[in-house]
Amino acid sequence: MVKEECKALLDALNKVAACYRHMVLTIGGTADSQNLREELRKTRQKAQELAVANRNKLTGVLKDRTVSKEDKAEFERLWVIFSTCMEILEVDMRRALELGHEFPLNVPKKHLIQTGMSGGTSGVAARAMSVQNMKYEAEHNIDVVDLKDLEKEINQVGEMMYEMEMKVNVPHWTVEAKQDPGAELKSTVSMGASSMGMISVEENKSFCDISKVLAGVIFSAVLIIAIVLAVCVVKLS
Amino acid sequence: MTISAGGRPRPHMPCLAKMERMIVIMQDPDMGVKMRNQRLLITVIPHAMTGNDIVEWLIQKYTISEEESLHLGNLIVKHGYIYPLKDPRNLVLRADESPYRFQTPYFWTSTKWPATELDYAIYLAKKNIRKQGDLIDHEKDNYNLLHKRINHTWDFVVMQAREQLRAAKQRRKGDRIVIDCQEQAYWLVNRPPPGAPNVMEHGLKQRNCHASRVQLTKNMDYYKREIEYCRKAMGRTRVKSSICLEGYVKFNEQYVPHDPIMSGCLPSNPWITDDNTYWTMNAPTVMTPTKLRVERWGFSFSELLGDALGRAQFMEFLKKEFSAENLSFWEACEELRYGEQSRIAEIMDSIYQHFLAPGATRWVNIDSKTMERTLEGLKTPHRYVMDDAQMHIYMLMKKDSYPRFLKSDLYKSLLAEAIIPPETKKRVFPFMRKQRHSSPSPALLLLPGGEPEAKAEDKSRTPVAAPVPEEES
């Protein structure tokens, strides 16, 4: 069904935009590296591909006059979500350009900001690119080389958005959100379970977890008491 | 949501650029601020510093006093470049062991990337999810407000919030904590809770037009804009500041006796004495105008025309000179300019009939070029069609009739008959009720002939304050 396909494409774009933002956050900090810049580049290109796919699909549907009214309203809602996503992506790309210029990586005099982040962003990038592991194959000065491409891509995105605005006539204010305030909490039940699962997996890795130690101590104490009682019972009977 | 195709980024506040430079200097591994590790229950997060370290470093680097260093550090914290770890809502630099950390450049305060409603909504949605609906009061209010305001993108807000949380899970626990703290600090600066000082508030004056540091490719558009800008700058009229100031001083000297605040108003200031005589005497249509008013008509032509009474007197004068049609024409053009849109065609027609048509009853003398242009313009009626002709007649009256008016007997007699209202007499008894003398107007103290008024005020104060010795007049 066309609706499902559109939704899936939009979800994918949304995911990539979130991951991209997450990575732009890290530029200029101590977790910044050539790998990060390469990840940014790859994510950005993926985002653009998805954006073009989304645009083509949605414009195709919106131009189609045989679509029913409810469907059309739904597609307009998807269109508004899509254009907002593109706006966020464009702003993040501009910021990435600015930050990239300010924090070049191979200049010894320019220090990176000590933000407290020490881990890498390869997990985020892998999520964005929908792969298991990221492969890094770029040159050692990608941070400088990439900026020119980034500029071009920003212009491209800007033009695309302008075209979108001109060609498709969907006034944003006519779209009503489906979600009520607080809707994001409803699905947190499933989210909460998965997040708990993640946290417990992590905590197993660290040895000095006080709560687990306490639980272990109490359990073993109870066990010892039970054994003692059983022995007494056996002895006295 | 507006899309700015190729929109230019807004200028950066200069103080922010300076703070950023300072922050980068602080990062030097040899000469920068001393870093420690922050120890939470399980995780250890590097790159924390104590408030003391920051203050010490500032004192050493810039050789300033402790007080100044504390003030400087406070500014940096308030603008969000360093955020406190122990008491995050209180953006203050404490010169003790309380820990601080640097903010990531993405979240640096910037006037180029103002924090948008959409970003704030996504942040609140994320917080909502993490805290299971337990937001602080003002955040709850903002949340509901935003839901209404950007309702059309709310679905996107929810989607993006969920995705951002999922993306964050791919990182180490320590990094997750750091990112949460960073975001919280960012929004505390950009959307401060009610009652907290808002650093981002700046008036129009403070924005300097520094070009953005990053210039997108210098293409044709950029150079075209530069050329246009330089051309306009060259064509601007320039006046020497000495001449400007001279004009300004002359204007002030001319108008000072007429200013009710600087020179006091006769008979008395209605705001102080509750006596409306001043206003009734200076009403637009009065039998006899005050002397000051008649004098003002001599200052400039616009003053004369701007005053209803003056205009009427001028009309009388012109009637005697048989050139009243000029003023009538000017008045009719004013009516066209400021009148109702629906009546424009009608008014234009009547103007043409009365003033411009050959052989009209009140034909005005306009030069042939302007007449041609006006007649052309009659075909496409709009309210500014008569502007050229009106300006021509205005200048004519100003250069020709106005000086003669000022020299005429009519004007001189007006001046002679104009009244100077007497000052209010001292009132002995009723002062007890009304005289709330907040502060003496400068006029009452400075006016040489103002002693009677000063005395009146003194008398009014005697029952309220300690008795003041009476001044000898």
Side-chain angles (χ1 to χ4, degrees):
Chain A
M1 260 274 300
V2 186
K3 231 191 259 186
E4 262 62 30
E5 287 171 23
C6 284
K7 271 213 177 108
L9 272 176
L10 204 55
D11 282 337
L13 180 63
N14 188 30
K15 180 175 78 165
V16 174
C19 293
Y20 187 67
R21 176 185 176 273
H22 198 91
M23 290 190 277
V24 178
L25 266 185
T26 333
I27 300 183
T30 33
D32 198 355
S33 65
Q34 301 285 0
N35 286 349
L36 174 70
R37 304 296 173 99
E38 193 183 339
E39 287 164 11
L40 280 167
R41 180 198 179 88
K42 290 200 169 137
T43 316
R44 196 175 73 222
Q45 284 165 346
K46 175 114 198 233
Q48 285 196 291
E49 285 168 22
L50 282 170
V52 171
N54 259 300
R55 179 199 65 183
N56 293 338
K57 198 135 201 125
L58 279 173
T59 41
V61 167
L62 286 172
K63 286 217 166 86
D64 190 5
R65 289 179 194 276
T66 61
V67 177
S68 70
K69 261 219 161 154
E70 302 93 42
D71 279 352
K72 197 161 176 93
E74 175 66 18
F75 284 121
E76 284 182 356
R77 190 184 73 95
L78 291 178
W79 177 262
V80 170
I81 294 179
F82 171 54
S83 52
T84 324
C85 195
M86 289 310 293
E87 277 183 36
I88 284 204
L89 206 63
E90 194 199 354
V91 170
D92 277 339
M93 278 164 72
R94 279 186 200 271
R95 271 169 126 144
L97 179 67
E98 170 95 13
L99 291 174
H101 272 294
E102 264 189 63
F103 294 101
L105 289 175
N106 287 332
V107 181
K109 279 281 171 187
K110 287 217 163 170
H111 308 292
L112 296 173
I113 310 293
Q114 289 158 306
T115 49
M117 301 220 261
S118 35
T121 44
S122 45
V124 181
R127 187 186 165 81
M129 306 296 293
S130 313
V131 293
Q132 275 293 95
N133 290 314
M134 286 290 294
K135 288 204 198 41
Y136 298 101
E137 51 221 3
E139 317 93 48
H140 60 277
N141 63 341
I142 187 175
D143 57 328
V144 172
V145 167
D146 191 34
L147 292 174
K148 285 246 170 316
D149 293 336
L150 180 52
E151 259 186 66
K152 262 189 272 173
E153 285 174 29
I154 293 178
N155 285 327
Q156 274 174 11
V157 169
E159 276 172 28
M160 183 169 110
M161 286 172 66
Y162 182 72
E163 260 186 62
M164 273 163 52
E165 185 84 342
M166 291 294 121
K167 287 204 178 138
V168 176
N169 190 10
V170 174
H172 288 219
W173 52 88
T174 55
V175 169
E176 264 185 49
K178 272 193 174 166
Q179 321 257 21
D180 299 322
E184 61 267 16
L185 293 172
K186 289 185 196 129
S187 71
T188 52
V189 179
S190 58
M191 274 264 292
S194 62
S195 67
M196 293 296 273
M198 291 287 286
I199 291 179
S200 59
V201 162
E202 288 223 3
E203 286 183 353
N204 268 330
K205 295 187 188 149
S206 60
F207 294 109
C208 46
D209 188 357
I210 293 178
S211 55
K212 282 233 169 232
V213 165
L214 204 60
V217 164
I218 291 174
F219 179 74
S220 42
V222 167
L223 197 60
I224 288 172
I225 292 172
I227 292 175
V228 163
L229 282 174
V231 165
C232 292
V233 162
V234 162
K235 279 232 162 125
L236 291 177
S237 62
Chain B
M1 303 275 189
T2 49
I3 296 182
S4 48
R8 306 177 74 191
R10 296 198 282 171
H12 207 45
M13 267 157 73
C15 61
L16 297 180
K18 292 181 191 160
M19 276 193 248
E20 283 168 17
R21 275 201 292 273
M22 202 187 283
I23 295 281
V24 172
I25 298 175
M26 281 193 196
Q27 308 303 322
D28 195 320
D30 308 314
M31 306 286 292
V33 184
K34 182 159 169 266
M35 289 287 148
R36 298 155 203 267
N37 286 335
Q38 182 195 17
R39 220 164 266 282
L40 296 177
L41 263 178
I42 322 152
T43 33
V44 173
I45 307 179
H47 307 148
M49 23 178 201
T50 60
N52 222 356
D53 288 338
I54 300 175
V55 172
E56 293 282 327
W57 184 87
L58 284 171
I59 293 177
Q60 227 186 1
K61 173 85 184 169
Y62 296 108
T63 45
I64 48 179
S65 65
E66 179 165 351
E67 194 183 342
E68 192 177 347
S69 151
L70 200 59
H71 176 71
L72 197 58
N74 255 312
L75 278 178
I76 299 182
V77 173
K78 271 201 186 26
H79 279 84
Y81 289 97
I82 293 180
Y83 58 95
L85 298 172
K86 272 273 157 61
D87 186 14
R89 298 194 180 282
N90 213 353
L91 294 172
V92 178
L93 181 69
R94 269 188 271 268
D96 53 15
E97 300 299 310
S98 27
Y100 291 85
R101 188 172 283 134
F102 291 111
Q103 177 71 283
T104 185
Y106 183 84
F107 282 139
W108 277 358
T109 311
S110 170
T111 42
K112 276 189 283 187
W113 320 108
T116 59
E117 302 281 5
L118 185 63
D119 291 332
Y120 191 43
I122 296 176
Y123 167 67
L124 286 178
K126 280 202 285 191
K127 206 166 181 191
N128 211 11
I129 297 176
R130 268 187 297 124
K131 301 239 162 140
Q132 301 287 320
D134 186 25
L135 292 175
I136 316 175
D137 287 330
H138 79 270
E139 283 179 346
K140 234 185 227 152
D141 291 335
N142 284 336
Y143 183 83
N144 292 328
L145 201 69
L146 281 169
H147 177 83
K148 257 187 257 162
R149 217 185 275 170
I150 54 171
N151 186 275
H152 54 280
T153 49
W154 196 257
D155 293 338
F156 174 70
V157 168
V158 171
M159 278 168 67
Q160 181 72 203
R162 288 194 189 130
E163 273 305 324
Q164 283 187 7
L165 283 176
R166 284 183 205 137
K169 291 212 168 73
Q170 303 297 325
R171 304 201 64 171
R172 241 189 247 176
K173 177 125 198 229
D175 288 352
R176 270 214 301 270
I177 298 177
V178 168
I179 293 175
D180 285 341
C181 291
Q182 282 173 351
E183 234 189 327
Q184 186 186 38
Y186 177 69
W187 287 111
L188 278 171
V189 171
N190 282 284
R191 294 281 189 273
N198 186 355
V199 187
M200 296 306 289
E201 247 163 52
H202 39 64
L204 295 165
K205 291 179 244 165
Q206 286 184 30
R207 296 222 186 148
N208 273 328
C209 292
H210 284 262
S212 75
R213 275 167 286 175
V214 178
Q215 201 66 259
L216 290 184
T217 34
K218 300 191 176 190
N219 52 4
M220 265 232 302
D221 280 333
Y222 167 72
Y223 284 117
K224 275 192 191 152
R225 269 202 305 262
E226 288 288 310
I227 292 174
E228 198 51 48
Y229 175 75
C230 291
R231 198 176 284 152
K232 279 193 197 150
M234 281 202 307
R236 264 200 301 224
T237 46
R238 281 165 166 71
V239 183
K240 270 167 58 167
S241 44
S242 58
I243 298 181
C244 273
L245 289 172
E246 260 179 48
Y248 190 64
V249 166
K250 247 192 251 173
F251 176 85
N252 275 296
E253 276 170 3
Q254 198 178 43
Y255 276 89
V256 145
H258 298 257
D259 190 312
I261 294 178
M262 298 308 291
S263 314
C265 43
L266 308 169
S268 63
N269 191 331
W271 297 111
I272 297 181
T273 56
D274 285 340
D275 179 20
N276 288 354
T277 324
Y278 175 72
W279 287 330
T280 48
M281 287 182 103
N282 284 299
T285 46
V286 157
M287 280 308 296
T288 30
T290 53
K291 185 134 194 191
L292 285 176
R293 189 172 173 182
V294 180
E295 275 173 17
R296 266 208 299 279
W297 296 345
F299 286 173
S300 71
F301 191 42
S302 49
E303 280 274 356
L304 178 64
L305 284 189
D307 190 349
L309 201 60
R311 205 194 281 188
Q313 296 293 337
F314 189 57
M315 180 67 101
E316 289 299 316
F317 171 74
L318 286 179
K319 278 193 185 140
K320 288 201 194 123
E321 300 230 322
F322 301 108
S323 42
E325 67 270 3
N326 289 338
L327 188 56
S328 306
F329 176 67
W330 186 86
E331 282 181 347
C333 289
E334 285 287 282
E335 202 192 333
L336 176 67
R337 275 185 112 207
Y338 299 112
E340 292 172 13
Q341 180 77 18
S342 50
R343 292 189 57 216
I344 284 185
E346 179 194 331
I347 298 176
M348 271 186 58
D349 210 35
S350 89
I351 290 180
Y352 178 72
Q353 293 299 327
H354 288 211
F355 299 104
L356 296 175
T361 46
R362 300 197 271 172
W363 190 77
V364 281
N365 193 358
I366 313 179
D367 68 302
S368 52
K369 239 196 196 163
T370 322
M371 181 66 99
E372 257 180 60
R373 252 185 289 156
T374 313
L375 292 178
E376 270 298 307
L378 282 182
K379 296 181 189 139
T380 51
H382 60 90
R383 48 177 87 240
Y384 302 114
V385 163
M386 296 290 175
D387 271 7
D388 288 334
Q390 186 186 18
M391 183 54 68
H392 180 88
I393 293 292
Y394 181 85
M395 296 311 275
L396 188 68
M397 286 195 288
K398 180 172 171 184
K399 292 204 182 108
D400 192 26
S401 318
Y402 179 59
R404 276 185 293 166
F405 172 73
L406 292 182
K407 292 190 202 121
S408 68
D409 293 329
L410 176 63
Y411 184 64
K412 291 204 172 91
S413 66
L414 278 172
L415 266 180
E417 285 165 11
I419 46 177
I420 306 180
E423 300 161 27
T424 36
K425 300 227 167 90
K426 302 171 273 190
R427 288 185 285 169
V428 186
F429 278 118
F431 60 72
M432 274 204 261
R433 268 184 295 130
K434 291 189 222 172
Q435 314 298 7
R436 251 183 359 104
H437 204 52
S438 52
S439 63
S441 101
L444 297 176
L445 296 175
L446 297 172
L447 202 63
E451 269 135 20
E453 272 161 298
K455 231 184 168 179
E457 300 306 334
D458 270 349
K459 270 205 153 37
S460 75
R461 267 188 281 178
T462 34
V464 182
V468 175
E470 285 215 26
E471 291 173 23
E472 295 284 321
S473 58

